[in-house]
Amino acid sequence: MAIVPLQRVTLIGELRFRDKVIFELQRMGCVHVVDRGDADERTDHTAMSQNDLKSAIAFLQRCPEQRPPFSHSATSDEIKRIAEKVLQTESESRALAEERESLAETIEQNRPWGNFQLPSPDELRGFRLFFYRLTPRQVRELVADVKSNFNANRINRDRQHEYWVIIADQPPAGMPCEPEVLDARPLEQLNLRLFEIDQRREALQVERIALTRWLDHLEQELGVVQDETARAIATKRSRVDGPVFALQGWIPARQMASLETFARENMLVCLSRAPKTDEQPPTLLSNPRPIAGAEGAVTFFMTPGYRAWDPTWVMYFSFAAFFAMILADAGYGLVLGVILACLAPSLGRTEAGQRFRQLATFMVLVTIVYGLAIGSFFGFTPAEGSWLDSVVIKSNGRSIMQDREAMMLVSATIGVFHLVLANAVVAWRWLGSGYAFSSVGWAIALIGGWLLALAQLPKPDVMALLADWLGSQASQWTEAVTQTGSWMLGSGLVLVFLFSSVRPVFSPCPRDWLWRGLDGLMGLTSVSKAFGDALSYLRLFALGLASAQLAIVFNQLASDAARVQGAGILLGTLVFLLGHTLNLLLAVVGGVVHGLRLNCIEFFSWSLTDEGQPFEALEMKANK
């Protein structure tokens, strides 16, 4: 749970060895080369561009049928020709798909008029054919002079429309709609072209399947091109002064010894120093392998600043907990576990896939445990007295999930202490500064407001529960908790007012005191934000309740369908499977979206305000 300390390094050497040095640095894969800002990083590619290779690879990866890869090697020129053929196949396939879609619409438009060839204007001696698709009501509204003055004929009719053709030199006035513009080709020719397109698309699909044998070679070539591009950019970022070049970058402090050894072996001058206070080094996160999967969830929203903190551990546990509370069913957790087990081999092929698999495994486990704790298994509750029933957390003799007031309190409590943790982290970061007391004040105020709410809640009556557990009268507990909450809320807001400014506390300048007061008032304006953010966590209860209720509804619908004579069992099974599949999809989407939202919006807005840039090492992509 740390942001890796970095060192600023400068490598100086002879210009004639620059390309060799950059190549070896890329093999080491530990230096983030500094962007000079004034360097033109456009590179000239003699080989195929990265975007073309990525497009070709993506097109082949989407192919539903894959062929085994070729075992023999291939030259760069041969791979380039293959990539060009793949892109040509993709382009032609896309063009044919668009043409087929347009052609199918044209055929449907022309079909009611029949198979005919539109005559040329010369054949009609200056007259034209105007085609009208009219409803029966529009036909009745046709003015009489249109029917009498023009050659108007009904060609076809169906349940909704009548199809009329009018021969005239210009569109007749008084028509209820505009004439349709038909394709000049006869219907027979349109259908023939549709058949030709389908045949060509089938042939292109066969070519695409055959080209999947080159997928590994294309991916390898992409790595080579990316490496060449990275070296070209690093070369442009270097500084040249006569026969000498200099390259600056950032490196993890723990790898400085390796870089110094590299510098001695390549006759380079290696200068290093710690980051200056006005510098913004890139951010490199380092977490234990089981936890590292949550790094992607963190950087999905923002990369923490170098001098900020790493919220990966908090994201790991809170995201899994929020996801479980929104799914709210152990059966759904088991289904996700089966799906994850089926996908595990493919996820294990890449490091990113392995990280996601570990995070998803933990989320599935937490979902199953939470589902057992609230007694929900595909919407069914365990039999009373069973061992499953014994692990259910109950309120008033029933599952706590069925006690809406209790679940609302649980969700709000989670929100309050999630925000308290966020402010505690900020206070720890500012330890030694007066500004830390502002975050301490927010943490105290949040807990104080929470205690006041507990004392005033009619249901669940927490004060009565405290009286039963710890003795004394409920009224005495109410008075004590109210007083404690009031003092904490008031003292917390006082700390926020006094220490929301970073200006000197004991400044002899009256202007600083005035600005501190204004900063304090501005800090107090976040009271509504704190209240709203804490209540935002009620979505955990609302979405979890919606998922649980939908599961119950689908179970009831399936039970009713099963009573139908004849195919009742089959119908009930289909309703059960389709209903729970839909509910599971909605719950997963809600769990991911709102689980990320509560962490990235509510939590990060209080604890992580400094955004940084990711650490991007100059490293080899090929043969990884």
Side-chain angles (χ1 to χ4, degrees):
M1 179 180 167
I3 294 176
V4 177
L6 302 179
Q7 288 281 312
R8 178 69 174 251
V9 296
T10 302
L11 296 175
I12 303 173
E14 294 184 55
L15 182 59
R16 60 195 177 106
F17 296 128
R18 181 178 61 176
D19 292 343
K20 176 179 179 294
V21 168
I22 290 176
F23 181 80
E24 294 299 329
L25 276 178
Q26 191 177 39
R27 292 182 60 184
M28 289 182 63
C30 60
V31 177
H32 174 102
V33 179
V34 172
D35 182 2
R36 286 167 45 192
D38 59 343
D40 183 4
E41 296 188 356
R42 290 176 296 180
T43 57
D44 298 326
H45 295 294
T46 56
M48 178 164 285
S49 70
Q50 294 185 49
N51 291 335
D52 288 341
L53 279 170
K54 288 179 180 179
S55 298
I57 291 171
F59 179 66
L60 294 182
Q61 286 177 335
R62 294 193 301 268
C63 183
E65 186 175 348
Q66 302 280 329
R67 287 288 183 262
F70 284 120
S71 57
H72 64 81
S73 60
T75 64
S76 180
D77 290 339
E78 186 177 6
I79 295 176
K80 180 181 178 181
R81 288 194 299 272
I82 292 298
E84 290 174 348
K85 186 174 182 181
V86 172
L87 293 175
Q88 182 181 357
T89 301
E90 180 187 21
S91 177
E92 187 177 356
S93 299
R94 185 186 301 112
L96 288 175
E98 294 174 355
E99 183 183 355
R100 189 190 191 285
E101 182 179 359
S102 175
L103 191 61
E105 294 177 358
T106 301
I107 290 174
E108 287 302 313
Q109 182 184 19
N110 286 23
R111 192 184 305 279
W113 308 99
N115 182 29
F116 69 97
Q117 176 75 49
L118 276 176
S120 65
D122 294 336
E123 292 179 284
L124 295 178
R125 298 182 180 180
F127 287 88
R128 296 163 56 194
L129 299 181
F130 297 96
F131 302 89
Y132 290 93
R133 187 189 301 257
L134 304 175
T135 64
R137 179 178 179 181
Q138 291 173 331
V139 172
R140 291 193 297 269
E141 293 176 354
L142 278 178
V143 294
D145 60 344
V146 171
K147 296 182 178 180
S148 59
N149 297 333
F150 297 97
N151 189 348
N153 294 279
R154 188 180 67 191
I155 303 301
N156 197 1
R157 68 182 301 177
D158 55 30
R159 293 183 178 181
Q160 295 181 335
H161 298 95
E162 292 186 10
Y163 303 90
W164 287 73
V165 176
I166 297 178
I167 302 176
D169 57 350
Q170 59 183 357
M175 294 299 293
C177 63
E178 294 294 324
E180 291 191 6
V181 179
L182 302 183
D183 193 289
R185 293 170 292 179
L187 192 61
E188 181 180 10
Q189 186 177 345
L190 293 174
N191 285 318
L192 178 60
R193 177 56 184 162
L194 184 66
F195 177 73
E196 292 173 352
I197 290 175
D198 288 339
Q199 281 192 318
R200 181 55 184 161
R201 291 183 69 195
E202 290 180 4
L204 289 174
Q205 183 64 14
V206 172
E207 290 182 17
R208 181 185 184 186
I209 293 173
L211 289 170
T212 57
R213 293 180 179 273
W214 295 92
L215 190 55
D216 288 352
H217 290 79
L218 290 171
E219 291 174 343
Q220 182 67 23
E221 181 67 15
L222 175 61
V224 172
V225 172
Q226 288 176 330
D227 290 344
E228 292 175 354
T229 303
R231 289 195 297 271
I233 292 175
T235 300
K236 289 180 177 293
R237 289 181 177 181
S238 64
R239 295 180 181 271
V240 178
D241 186 3
V244 177
F245 82 94
L247 189 67
Q248 293 184 319
W250 297 96
I251 185 172
R254 60 174 180 260
Q255 293 182 299
M256 270 304 303
S258 300
L259 185 64
E260 290 171 350
T261 302
F262 169 80
R264 286 194 300 269
E265 293 174 350
N266 290 273
M267 297 180 293
L268 301 171
V269 176
C270 181
L271 306 176
S272 64
R273 60 171 175 80
K276 297 179 180 178
T277 55
D278 59 343
E279 289 182 319
Q280 293 294 331
T283 303
L284 176 61
L285 303 179
S286 177
N287 291 279
R289 190 173 185 83
I291 308 295
E295 289 180 5
V298 172
T299 55
F300 163 80
F301 181 73
M302 67 180 295
T303 299
Y306 177 75
R307 294 178 179 83
W309 68 291
D310 181 7
T312 301
W313 280 72
V314 176
M315 174 67 79
Y316 182 76
F317 289 101
S318 60
F319 181 50
F322 297 161
F323 182 84
M325 292 183 69
I326 291 174
L327 255 69
D329 194 282
Y332 290 169
L334 289 174
V335 172
L336 293 180
V338 172
I339 295 174
L340 182 61
C342 295
L343 296 177
S346 60
L347 290 174
R349 295 172 186 169
T350 63
E351 183 179 356
Q354 293 172 6
R355 291 187 173 190
F356 173 78
R357 183 177 62 187
Q358 291 172 328
L359 175 62
T361 300
F362 181 68
M363 292 168 63
V364 167
L365 291 176
V366 174
T367 300
I368 295 173
V369 171
Y370 181 78
L372 293 174
I374 63 173
S376 179
F377 193 89
F378 292 112
F380 296 104
T381 55
E384 188 174 351
S386 63
W387 72 269
L388 288 175
D389 182 62
S390 64
V391 301
V392 176
I393 300 175
K394 296 185 177 182
S395 174
N396 298 323
R398 55 181 181 171
S399 169
I400 192 173
M401 193 65 187
Q402 300 176 17
D403 189 339
R404 299 188 178 184
E405 291 79 7
M407 283 303 300
M408 290 176 67
L409 177 59
V410 169
S411 300
T413 299
I414 290 174
V416 167
F417 284 94
H418 204 218
L419 299 181
V420 167
L421 174 61
N423 282 280
V425 170
V426 175
W428 171 74
R429 284 186 54 219
W430 285 89
L431 198 62
S433 168
Y435 188 75
F437 288 104
S438 174
S439 296
V440 172
W442 279 118
I444 295 174
L446 284 165
I447 296 176
W450 174 71
L451 290 175
L452 285 175
L454 286 183
Q456 302 301 322
L457 281 178
K459 292 178 65 177
D461 193 345
V462 180
M463 300 301 103
L465 293 175
L466 289 175
D468 292 340
W469 292 343
L470 304 176
S472 189
Q473 299 293 323
S475 59
Q476 294 176 335
W477 276 106
T478 301
E479 182 179 359
V481 172
T482 300
Q483 290 180 354
T484 302
S486 299
W487 277 102
M488 292 183 70
L489 179 61
S491 60
L493 294 179
V494 169
L495 288 175
V496 171
F497 173 76
L498 293 177
F499 296 100
S500 288
S501 178
V502 294
R503 301 175 186 275
V505 178
F506 302 105
S507 174
C509 180
R511 181 180 298 177
D512 287 340
W513 283 95
L514 175 61
W515 282 109
R516 283 189 64 84
L518 292 176
D519 290 341
L521 291 175
M522 290 298 297
L524 289 176
T525 60
S526 295
V527 169
S528 60
K529 179 179 184 301
F531 181 74
D533 286 349
L535 291 184
S536 182
Y537 287 77
L538 289 176
R539 71 185 67 237
L540 297 174
F541 156 73
L543 293 170
L545 177 65
S547 177
Q549 290 300 317
L550 277 176
I552 295 173
V553 168
F554 285 126
N555 289 341
Q556 184 61 47
L557 291 175
S559 177
D560 294 341
R563 296 191 182 97
V564 177
Q565 293 183 354
I569 299 298
L570 177 61
L571 183 61
T573 302
L574 288 176
V575 171
F576 181 86
L577 293 176
L578 292 176
H580 281 286
T581 299
L582 175 62
N583 193 29
L584 176 59
L585 290 175
L586 293 174
V588 168
V589 172
V592 172
V593 172
H594 293 281
L596 286 174
R597 182 242 158 84
L598 291 175
N599 281 285
C600 297
I601 305 298
E602 277 77 7
F603 183 75
F604 283 2
S605 67
W606 287 93
S607 65
L608 199 64
T609 56
D610 299 331
E611 185 170 5
Q613 58 171 323
F615 183 93
E616 297 177 346
L618 176 65
E619 60 180 351
M620 291 284 189
K621 303 292 184 183
N623 299 319
K624 284 192 68 175

